[in-house]
Amino acid sequence: MTYARFIGIGSYLPEKVLTNKDLEKVMNTSDEWIRERTGIMRRHIAADNETTSSLGLEAAKRAMSNADIEPEDIDLIIVATTTPDQVFPSTACLIQHQLKIKGCAAFDVQAVCSGFVYALDIANRFLQTGGATTALVIGAETLSRILNWEDRSTAVLFGDGAGCVILKASDEPGILSSHSHADGQYADLLQVRSGISAGYNEAKPAEAFIEMNGNAVFKRAVATFDKIARETVADIDGGLGGIDWFIPHQANMRIIKAAARKLEMPMERVIATVDMHANTSSASIPLALDYALQEGKIKQGDILLLAAFGGGFTWGSTLVKY
Ligand code: UT7
């Protein structure tokens, strides 16, 4: 059997940091409210000359150096993003060109905060069926570009960043299972209404930015982790107790704690970076993964569960032997 193994990980955060105290100066909010309701303390914001592709490129270069591979080794590039540089070409094609890679498939995946686990699921299927041997899977976002800085209920929650995992086909176990799901009936709980085909309503400029029914998303997110837990139990010998590290999408510390309870995971085995990065959508899981590796938490052979939920409504998971 062919598996997709993680052979290199890298991430990149823009230099500019915005703390809750900084936000207090520009909107009617408080460090105390943000910390109590979300666990967030600060977030990174892309500079004017940075884009999703420039963040993703930097994360990819770091992952490639970490994996000790050359651009010519790569034969698949998937970028998960909700904030592509342009309508087209895809962010993946822009990064491919910057890396001087030619000919391989390169495309974007749009599944909002579940984008990275969707992208891993797709790459896993390419590798398992012999369609590729070495894949760059990137999650990259400049969410600050779709934030309404006059809406305190969303502006305080998000940040920018990028992370990249390199997958290589191997006989040794890597990804053990991966799942992608969606239920479009909840589309209006979390959305940016404006778009290319739907157009931009000049009378309602706020529609060009993230709108969210926070309470409803919160409840759906917790219920979704219940489904993910039940699906994962079927994939792993020894049940949920066989998981060494839970690396969830980083949206809100209260959601992460509720998810950990559903998965019967003690918080010591949960990776949480939402305090430092806020919600970086499809970049949040690879950023958290890289952080955990740099902290020396994850060891070779550990079983990791990556799990996400997001706008759409979408959700998914990846169970992997590192
Ligand atoms: O990747 C998926 C994306 N999204 C999420 O995962 C978010 C899911 N939802 C949440 O995390 C939470 O629902 C929030 C953090 C967004 C909100 O927390 P909450 O406990 O559900 O608060 P709430 O929406 O019920 O609002 C409570 C109060 C309201 O005031 P009133 O009406 O009670 O007077 C809000 O106006 O908090 C107010 N509020 C704020 N106050 C200070 C909302 N945003 C802020 C703010 N600062 N930034």
Side-chain angles (χ1 to χ4, degrees), residues 28-29 33 37-38 113 152-153 156-157 190 212 214-215 217-218 249 251-252 254-255 279 309:
N28 181 15
T29 190
W33 189 96
R37 303 290 177 123
T38 71
C113 302
R152 67 177 182 171
S153 71
V156 304
L157 304 177
L190 176 54
M212 178 170 66
N215 278 308
V217 171
F218 194 103
H249 168 51
N252 181 318
R254 285 155 58 212
I255 297 177
N279 181 346
F309 64 92

Side-chain angles (χ1 to χ4, degrees), residues 217-258:
V217 171
F218 194 103
K219 287 182 193 135
R220 285 246 54 83
V222 174
T224 298
F225 275 110
D226 197 32
K227 286 189 194 150
I228 291 172
R230 276 188 267 127
E231 195 167 46
T232 306
V233 171
D235 295 334
I236 184 166
D237 294 338
L240 296 173
I243 300 167
D244 294 302
W245 293 101
F246 175 43
I247 308 172
H249 168 51
Q250 309 284 318
N252 181 318
M253 200 57 203
R254 285 155 58 212
I255 297 177
I256 293 173
K257 284 185 176 163

Side-chain angles (χ1 to χ4, degrees), residues 128-150:
Q128 282 189 325
T129 55
T133 58
T134 311
L136 279 188
V137 181
I138 300 168
E141 302 282 6
T142 46
L143 291 167
S144 58
R145 307 269 155 84
I146 52 167
L147 284 181
N148 180 351
W149 294 102
E150 288 174 6

